[in-house]
Amino acid sequence: MSLSTKFAAPERFGRRFGRAYAVHVLGCKVSQIEADGIARTLESEGFEPARPGEAAEVVVLHACTVTARADRDALRLARRLRRENPAALLAVTGCLAERDPDGLSLRPEIDVVAGHGSRLALPRLLEDAAAGLLPGKVAERTASPAEVLASPLAAGGTGRSRTFLKIQDGCGRRCSFCIVPSLRGAERSAPASEVEDAIRALGEDGVPEVVLCGVHLAAFGHDHGESLVGLLRRLEDRPPACRLRLSSLEPMEAGEALVDLVASSRVVAPHLHLPLQSGSDAVLRRMRRGMTRARFRDLLLRAARANPRLHLATDVIAGFPGETDAEFAETEALLAELPLASLHVFPFSPRSGTAAAAQPAGASVPASLRTRRAARLRARAATLLRRFAAAHDGRAADVVALRGDVGLTETYVEVALPPSGPPPASRFAALLALRPDGGLDARPAVPFSC
Ligand code: SF4
């Protein structure tokens, strides 16, 4: 069925008729923010969110492609969305559309493929597709890369307890396992003054927590002579009405100054997520991380000395090509030494188009061994989280109510709120009590005041 017959007449489309749309997203925080931006753009063109149970007429899948598994998940979801919305126009956007437009265009369930930077053009693209005006399924690449800073409210709207703000995009590094730089292009950041204004506006709008996000957040501002430390210092000098949280920061750029600032900050939540990936220098070299075991160790111990209550989190890849038992043991030994609160574990997954995927077959670690190593690390992760939660027993905390019965502390621990507790998106001081099951109860004390 050609696209043009899908809608009787082009003028029945978009702003004139409030067409029902649905946006689905897979992937990282940046991807989620972008999907939010797509939804707002469609609404600004007269589309309306499909009501529950109502078949959408336009479906957008904003999809990730960071691993082969991410691809499989996206294609499975696309098939499901087609089944659930048989008459809809189905568009795929995001990193997957950027990496494999031609492959996606061969799939019968997909009508439109639009890569990064297509948000603003999407309504028109969909209209043209419906009218059969698109020469093919793949939208022409736009000159503009994915934009960086969507307007504050577009990043999540008010009333949300946590709002994610994308302030940076792109990456200039070439870690050998990572496809992201080839999809998102060079590093670019929003002007720090615009970010500062956006944060203040969200705080004044009642949002208690703003999460700063980017593809390579620690490189914020490097493209125009600014820095994340510089931005945070301005906010430290005149605190906004909300607390800030930083999403993951590559340790290669997150130097001592940033760690010291976060450790002593009144504005930034005491939570540092610094991906390690491996505790073996030989593996780090093969990953082209530009980081060493010793430097990472020093950075983390410096942070813990500066603020022992910091939530220190990291990521590790298990079973990177060529990883020997001894190299894996180095990783385990380093993790055992560091005062970590949480650990995210990723069994190595070759991503075509990366240097690591081009390693000779003999170098790859058998899948069963990757799985076993990942399982060992995940067991460690569970112990770390339990230990970190237990350390909060009897402590006061700065809690944001996420939803009726759940809150989030400044140290990034979820706590249980009493029935008829504070309303969602409120922020308050609370006393924490450890439950026998290892969870934490929060007894609200007083509303939090900046
Ligand atoms: S720093 Fe490395 S892992 Fe992070 S986005 Fe850039 S290339 Fe990928």
Side-chain angles (χ1 to χ4, degrees), residues 170-307:
C171 180
R173 287 192 165 271
R174 287 290 178 275
C175 301
S176 64
F177 54 81
C178 183
I179 191 82
V180 173
S182 64
L183 302 176
R184 289 195 166 268
E187 291 166 8
R188 53 206 185 279
S189 316
S193 58
E194 282 185 27
V195 176
E196 187 181 345
D197 293 348
I199 292 167
R200 294 191 189 288
L202 285 163
E204 274 135 34
D205 217 40
V207 173
E209 178 170 304
V210 173
V211 184
L212 300 184
C213 303
V215 165
H216 194 0
L217 183 63
F220 172 82
H222 292 186
D223 52 313
H224 46 69
E226 295 180 314
S227 72
L228 188 56
V229 168
L231 167 68
L232 297 177
R233 284 210 176 109
R234 283 156 54 154
L235 292 156
E236 204 67 34
D237 295 344
R238 188 166 66 86
C242 54
R243 74 181 179 200
L244 285 184
R245 191 176 301 279
L246 303 180
S247 60
S248 99
L249 299 159
E250 293 291 0
M252 300 79 84
E253 267 76 35
E256 281 76 7
L258 184 58
V259 160
D260 294 351
L261 187 150
V262 173
S264 59
S265 175
R266 300 171 298 157
V267 172
V268 183
H271 176 201
L272 276 173
H273 184 162
L274 303 163
L276 168 67
Q277 306 302 10
S278 173
S280 151
D281 282 335
V283 177
L284 286 170
R285 275 192 298 278
R286 295 201 299 276
M287 286 178 167
R288 302 182 191 162
R289 286 287 284 165
M291 170 53 61
T292 64
R293 172 193 170 83
R295 260 183 59 213
F296 187 85
R297 180 179 170 281
D298 293 350
L299 202 58
L300 246 74
L301 292 180
R302 179 188 182 102
R305 273 193 309 275
N307 181 347

Side-chain angles (χ1 to χ4, degrees), residues 5-24:
T5 58
K6 195 164 265 189
F7 302 91
E11 68 279 359
R12 286 190 61 231
F13 212 79
R15 74 187 88 234
R16 296 183 199 83
F17 293 91
R19 177 84 48 198
Y21 82 89
V23 174
H24 298 261

Side-chain angles (χ1 to χ4, degrees), residues 29 41 94 102 119 164 171 177 190 192 222 265 336 343 392 396 398 419 421-422 437 448:
K29 293 264 181 349
T41 303
D102 301 335
R119 177 178 67 86
F164 300 103
C171 180
F177 54 81
H222 292 186
S265 175
L343 168 63
H392 286 69
D398 159 10
D437 65 0
F448 197 92

Side-chain angles (χ1 to χ4, degrees), residues 16 77 167 305 377:
R16 296 183 199 83
L77 180 53
I167 66 171
R305 273 193 309 275
L377 295 176

Side-chain angles (χ1 to χ4, degrees), residues 83 135 140 253 284 362 376 385 439:
R83 282 196 307 277
E140 213 176 293
E253 267 76 35
L284 286 170
R376 281 174 68 96
L385 214 49

